[in-house]
Amino acid sequence: MKKMKKMMAIILAVVMVVGLAGCTQASRVSANLSQEADSFNIVRKLVAFNQRTGDVVFIAVGNFSLQKESDGDLAIIGEDDDGTFYKHFVYLSSEMGYTCEQIKTTSVSKYKFTINYNPNYLFPVDFDYID
């Protein structure tokens, strides 16, 4: 009976060590990827969408960092090729969601950033001129 308890304790210890090692490695990789993205070294694709209708509001592709602001907005931070930095904000409401994926690509400029808006979400302005 004592041998059985020792054997169970050893098996449990091995399972816990293996399980913790996997979590530690995933945490380390996640932290390293986040650091690389915050240094603008990872090409990402951000898709913002209306959760109610399913429509895509805009898509942003480039080397940028994402941060949640204290007011709940999403900040997109990047660097232009002249060394200046930019920061765009996305208002996240109960109907606005987003996904961000890492894109593996080659020969992409570290400074390139594009946003493609869904034209249905742009507000046209009509001017009435008095003659």
Side-chain angles (χ1 to χ4, degrees), residues 76-97:
I76 304 170
I77 304 161
E79 182 181 7
D80 284 329
D81 55 359
D82 62 0
T84 59
F85 295 92
Y86 59 83
K87 188 173 186 179
H88 303 296
F89 295 97
V90 178
Y91 174 71
L92 297 177
S93 67
S94 61
E95 293 185 358
M96 179 73 141

mmCIF file of all heavy atoms in Angstrom, residues 76-97:
data_model
loop_
_atom_site.group_PDB
_atom_site.id
_atom_site.type_symbol
_atom_site.label_atom_id
_atom_site.label_comp_id
_atom_site.label_asym_id
_atom_site.label_seq_id
_atom_site.Cartn_x
_atom_site.Cartn_y
_atom_site.Cartn_z
ATOM 1 N N ILE A 76 -3.806 51.862 -31.633
ATOM 2 C CA ILE A 76 -2.927 51.275 -32.636
ATOM 3 C C ILE A 76 -1.718 52.198 -32.716
ATOM 4 O O ILE A 76 -1.844 53.357 -33.101
ATOM 5 C CB ILE A 76 -3.617 51.180 -34.006
ATOM 6 C CG1 ILE A 76 -4.918 50.389 -33.887
ATOM 7 C CG2 ILE A 76 -2.686 50.562 -35.032
ATOM 8 C CD1 ILE A 76 -5.777 50.444 -35.133
ATOM 9 N N ILE A 77 -0.541 51.687 -32.359
ATOM 10 C CA ILE A 77 0.668 52.506 -32.274
ATOM 11 C C ILE A 77 1.692 51.969 -33.264
ATOM 12 O O ILE A 77 1.938 50.766 -33.321
ATOM 13 C CB ILE A 77 1.250 52.473 -30.849
ATOM 14 C CG1 ILE A 77 0.193 52.906 -29.848
ATOM 15 C CG2 ILE A 77 2.489 53.337 -30.748
ATOM 16 C CD1 ILE A 77 0.479 52.509 -28.441
ATOM 17 N N GLY A 78 2.292 52.864 -34.035
ATOM 18 C CA GLY A 78 3.291 52.449 -35.008
ATOM 19 C C GLY A 78 4.308 53.531 -35.258
ATOM 20 O O GLY A 78 4.271 54.607 -34.660
ATOM 21 N N GLU A 79 5.233 53.238 -36.149
ATOM 22 C CA GLU A 79 6.309 54.161 -36.491
ATOM 23 C C GLU A 79 6.348 54.367 -38.000
ATOM 24 O O GLU A 79 6.292 53.395 -38.765
ATOM 25 C CB GLU A 79 7.649 53.601 -36.008
ATOM 26 C CG GLU A 79 8.832 54.501 -36.266
ATOM 27 C CD GLU A 79 10.145 53.897 -35.797
ATOM 28 O OE1 GLU A 79 10.171 52.723 -35.391
ATOM 29 O OE2 GLU A 79 11.151 54.611 -35.848
ATOM 30 N N ASP A 80 6.430 55.630 -38.429
ATOM 31 C CA ASP A 80 6.567 55.940 -39.848
ATOM 32 C C ASP A 80 8.028 55.824 -40.264
ATOM 33 O O ASP A 80 8.927 55.795 -39.426
ATOM 34 C CB ASP A 80 6.055 57.356 -40.141
ATOM 35 C CG ASP A 80 4.535 57.425 -40.147
ATOM 36 O OD1 ASP A 80 3.906 56.417 -40.514
ATOM 37 O OD2 ASP A 80 3.987 58.477 -39.786
ATOM 38 N N ASP A 81 8.272 55.793 -41.582
ATOM 39 C CA ASP A 81 9.633 55.620 -42.070
ATOM 40 C C ASP A 81 10.543 56.802 -41.763
ATOM 41 O O ASP A 81 11.756 56.681 -41.821
ATOM 42 C CB ASP A 81 9.649 55.312 -43.570
ATOM 43 C CG ASP A 81 8.914 56.338 -44.393
ATOM 44 O OD1 ASP A 81 8.362 57.291 -43.816
ATOM 45 O OD2 ASP A 81 8.885 56.183 -45.625
ATOM 46 N N ASP A 82 9.976 57.969 -41.406
ATOM 47 C CA ASP A 82 10.817 59.118 -41.046
ATOM 48 C C ASP A 82 11.160 59.137 -39.556
ATOM 49 O O ASP A 82 11.748 60.084 -39.057
ATOM 50 C CB ASP A 82 10.135 60.431 -41.446
ATOM 51 C CG ASP A 82 8.806 60.661 -40.740
ATOM 52 O OD1 ASP A 82 8.399 59.797 -39.934
ATOM 53 O OD2 ASP A 82 8.183 61.699 -40.990
ATOM 54 N N GLY A 83 10.789 58.086 -38.822
ATOM 55 C CA GLY A 83 11.122 57.991 -37.408
ATOM 56 C C GLY A 83 10.081 58.571 -36.467
ATOM 57 O O GLY A 83 10.254 58.528 -35.258
ATOM 58 N N THR A 84 9.000 59.130 -37.020
ATOM 59 C CA THR A 84 7.938 59.662 -36.170
ATOM 60 C C THR A 84 6.945 58.540 -35.846
ATOM 61 O O THR A 84 6.842 57.564 -36.589
ATOM 62 C CB THR A 84 7.195 60.828 -36.847
ATOM 63 O OG1 THR A 84 6.635 60.362 -38.081
ATOM 64 C CG2 THR A 84 8.135 61.986 -37.120
ATOM 65 N N PHE A 85 6.253 58.720 -34.765
ATOM 66 C CA PHE A 85 5.316 57.705 -34.307
ATOM 67 C C PHE A 85 3.884 58.192 -34.487
ATOM 68 O O PHE A 85 3.630 59.390 -34.512
ATOM 69 C CB PHE A 85 5.563 57.367 -32.834
ATOM 70 C CG PHE A 85 6.899 56.726 -32.612
ATOM 71 C CD1 PHE A 85 8.010 57.494 -32.305
ATOM 72 C CD2 PHE A 85 7.047 55.358 -32.716
ATOM 73 C CE1 PHE A 85 9.244 56.902 -32.113
ATOM 74 C CE2 PHE A 85 8.279 54.757 -32.525
ATOM 75 C CZ PHE A 85 9.374 55.540 -32.220
ATOM 76 N N TYR A 86 2.958 57.269 -34.624
ATOM 77 C CA TYR A 86 1.543 57.611 -34.728
ATOM 78 C C TYR A 86 0.768 56.755 -33.741
ATOM 79 O O TYR A 86 1.222 55.694 -33.305
ATOM 80 C CB TYR A 86 1.008 57.410 -36.146
ATOM 81 C CG TYR A 86 1.144 56.000 -36.665
ATOM 82 C CD1 TYR A 86 0.204 55.027 -36.354
ATOM 83 C CD2 TYR A 86 2.213 55.638 -37.472
ATOM 84 C CE1 TYR A 86 0.322 53.736 -36.823
ATOM 85 C CE2 TYR A 86 2.346 54.342 -37.939
ATOM 86 C CZ TYR A 86 1.402 53.399 -37.614
ATOM 87 O OH TYR A 86 1.525 52.120 -38.070
ATOM 88 N N LYS A 87 -0.420 57.242 -33.402
ATOM 89 C CA LYS A 87 -1.304 56.514 -32.500
ATOM 90 C C LYS A 87 -2.731 56.764 -32.962
ATOM 91 O O LYS A 87 -3.206 57.892 -32.968
ATOM 92 C CB LYS A 87 -1.109 57.003 -31.064
ATOM 93 C CG LYS A 87 -1.831 56.195 -30.020
ATOM 94 C CD LYS A 87 -1.425 56.678 -28.620
ATOM 95 C CE LYS A 87 -1.993 55.816 -27.534
ATOM 96 N NZ LYS A 87 -1.587 56.270 -26.197
ATOM 97 N N HIS A 88 -3.408 55.697 -33.390
ATOM 98 C CA HIS A 88 -4.801 55.764 -33.807
ATOM 99 C C HIS A 88 -5.646 55.090 -32.732
ATOM 100 O O HIS A 88 -5.194 54.164 -32.062
ATOM 101 C CB HIS A 88 -5.024 55.032 -35.135
ATOM 102 C CG HIS A 88 -4.174 55.531 -36.255
ATOM 103 N ND1 HIS A 88 -4.274 56.790 -36.764
ATOM 104 C CD2 HIS A 88 -3.195 54.917 -36.963
ATOM 105 C CE1 HIS A 88 -3.403 56.931 -37.746
ATOM 106 N NE2 HIS A 88 -2.735 55.819 -37.885
ATOM 107 N N PHE A 89 -6.888 55.542 -32.586
ATOM 108 C CA PHE A 89 -7.787 54.972 -31.589
ATOM 109 C C PHE A 89 -8.998 54.347 -32.261
ATOM 110 O O PHE A 89 -9.510 54.878 -33.234
ATOM 111 C CB PHE A 89 -8.279 56.045 -30.606
ATOM 112 C CG PHE A 89 -7.177 56.614 -29.768
ATOM 113 C CD1 PHE A 89 -6.564 57.801 -30.123
ATOM 114 C CD2 PHE A 89 -6.758 55.960 -28.621
ATOM 115 C CE1 PHE A 89 -5.550 58.326 -29.360
ATOM 116 C CE2 PHE A 89 -5.745 56.481 -27.839
ATOM 117 C CZ PHE A 89 -5.136 57.666 -28.204
ATOM 118 N N VAL A 90 -9.431 53.228 -31.714
ATOM 119 C CA VAL A 90 -10.645 52.569 -32.155
ATOM 120 C C VAL A 90 -11.571 52.528 -30.948
ATOM 121 O O VAL A 90 -11.202 51.988 -29.897
ATOM 122 C CB VAL A 90 -10.375 51.134 -32.646
ATOM 123 C CG1 VAL A 90 -11.668 50.449 -33.046
ATOM 124 C CG2 VAL A 90 -9.388 51.138 -33.797
ATOM 125 N N TYR A 91 -12.750 53.114 -31.089
ATOM 126 C CA TYR A 91 -13.725 53.091 -30.014
ATOM 127 C C TYR A 91 -14.395 51.718 -29.996
ATOM 128 O O TYR A 91 -14.961 51.286 -30.988
ATOM 129 C CB TYR A 91 -14.776 54.191 -30.205
ATOM 130 C CG TYR A 91 -15.902 54.118 -29.206
ATOM 131 C CD1 TYR A 91 -15.678 54.457 -27.877
ATOM 132 C CD2 TYR A 91 -17.162 53.695 -29.587
ATOM 133 C CE1 TYR A 91 -16.707 54.371 -26.952
ATOM 134 C CE2 TYR A 91 -18.190 53.616 -28.674
ATOM 135 C CZ TYR A 91 -17.960 53.954 -27.354
ATOM 136 O OH TYR A 91 -18.964 53.870 -26.436
ATOM 137 N N LEU A 92 -14.267 51.025 -28.887
ATOM 138 C CA LEU A 92 -14.876 49.706 -28.755
ATOM 139 C C LEU A 92 -16.165 49.841 -27.958
ATOM 140 O O LEU A 92 -16.155 50.185 -26.789
ATOM 141 C CB LEU A 92 -13.921 48.749 -28.043
ATOM 142 C CG LEU A 92 -12.613 48.468 -28.772
ATOM 143 C CD1 LEU A 92 -11.726 47.577 -27.937
ATOM 144 C CD2 LEU A 92 -12.879 47.843 -30.127
ATOM 145 N N SER A 93 -17.275 49.601 -28.622
ATOM 146 C CA SER A 93 -18.576 49.659 -27.963
ATOM 147 C C SER A 93 -19.098 48.239 -27.795
ATOM 148 O O SER A 93 -18.427 47.273 -28.156
ATOM 149 C CB SER A 93 -19.552 50.490 -28.797
ATOM 150 O OG SER A 93 -19.827 49.812 -30.009
ATOM 151 N N SER A 94 -20.304 48.126 -27.289
ATOM 152 C CA SER A 94 -20.893 46.793 -27.127
ATOM 153 C C SER A 94 -21.160 46.134 -28.479
ATOM 154 O O SER A 94 -21.300 44.918 -28.551
ATOM 155 C CB SER A 94 -22.193 46.887 -26.328
ATOM 156 O OG SER A 94 -23.125 47.703 -27.005
ATOM 157 N N GLU A 95 -21.214 46.924 -29.548
ATOM 158 C CA GLU A 95 -21.458 46.370 -30.881
ATOM 159 C C GLU A 95 -20.200 46.282 -31.737
ATOM 160 O O GLU A 95 -20.252 45.796 -32.853
ATOM 161 C CB GLU A 95 -22.507 47.213 -31.612
ATOM 162 C CG GLU A 95 -23.874 47.114 -30.989
ATOM 163 C CD GLU A 95 -24.928 47.843 -31.791
ATOM 164 O OE1 GLU A 95 -24.591 48.464 -32.821
ATOM 165 O OE2 GLU A 95 -26.096 47.795 -31.387
ATOM 166 N N MET A 96 -19.070 46.793 -31.227
ATOM 167 C CA MET A 96 -17.838 46.824 -32.018
ATOM 168 C C MET A 96 -16.842 45.824 -31.448
ATOM 169 O O MET A 96 -16.550 45.846 -30.259
ATOM 170 C CB MET A 96 -17.229 48.224 -31.975
ATOM 171 C CG MET A 96 -15.964 48.335 -32.746
ATOM 172 S SD MET A 96 -16.320 48.322 -34.484
ATOM 173 C CE MET A 96 -15.175 49.518 -35.045
ATOM 174 N N GLY A 97 -16.370 44.920 -32.274
ATOM 175 C CA GLY A 97 -15.378 43.943 -31.865
ATOM 176 C C GLY A 97 -14.209 43.960 -32.832
ATOM 177 O O GLY A 97 -14.228 44.655 -33.851
#
